[in-house]
Amino acid sequence: MFILITYDINVTSNLGQRRLRKVAKICLNYGQRVQNSVFECKVTEAELLVIKKQLTDVIDIEKDSLRFYRLGDSYDKKVQHIGAKQSYNFNDALIVD
């Protein structure tokens, strides 16, 4: 399943900046950054539960927020992109130099 994860981390303190880096690192383990605080991820239902747990353990629920959008399997028909940073197709082979 394809999901969109968005977050807003309060970075007015050093601890907030640390939380921001940790949240981004967790999201990078499961998908690709498409905007500063937005990640597209292809995950199973079980992986989604793990991601939610990992992220919830990092954030300060009094100051930060997370959002999860389920895009389903045919996300490419639901997402329109205009501009820079074109995303890759999750179903294509990924070749790293």
Side-chain angles (χ1 to χ4, degrees), residues 14-97:
N14 288 338
L15 289 176
Q17 293 172 9
R18 181 178 291 159
R19 289 193 312 274
L20 178 67
R21 287 189 298 273
K22 286 181 179 181
V23 166
K25 187 175 180 179
I26 291 168
C27 290
L28 277 171
N29 289 332
Y30 295 95
Q32 67 173 338
R33 183 189 300 262
V34 292
Q35 291 186 354
N36 286 338
S37 298
V38 181
F39 284 79
E40 290 177 348
C41 306
K42 182 178 181 183
V43 297
T44 64
E45 197 68 43
E47 287 172 322
L48 180 55
L49 292 174
V50 171
I51 295 168
K52 285 182 179 180
K53 171 75 169 110
Q54 289 176 339
L55 292 173
T56 303
D57 288 347
V58 169
I59 69 165
D60 179 339
I61 60 172
E62 299 295 322
K63 298 177 182 176
D64 308 327
S65 67
L66 297 168
R67 287 181 161 246
F68 300 87
Y69 298 90
R70 292 173 181 263
L71 300 177
D73 290 327
S74 58
Y75 81 101
D76 55 334
K77 295 177 179 69
K78 298 176 185 176
V79 176
Q80 180 182 17
H81 176 84
I82 299 171
K85 294 187 180 180
Q86 193 70 299
S87 62
Y88 63 84
N89 184 336
F90 283 102
N91 296 318
D92 287 347
L94 181 61
I95 300 172
V96 181
D97 289 333

Side-chain angles (χ1 to χ4, degrees), residues 5-19:
I5 301 173
T6 67
Y7 53 86
D8 186 23
I9 307 299
N10 182 320
V11 293
T12 56
S13 70
N14 288 338
L15 289 176
Q17 293 172 9
R18 181 178 291 159
R19 289 193 312 274

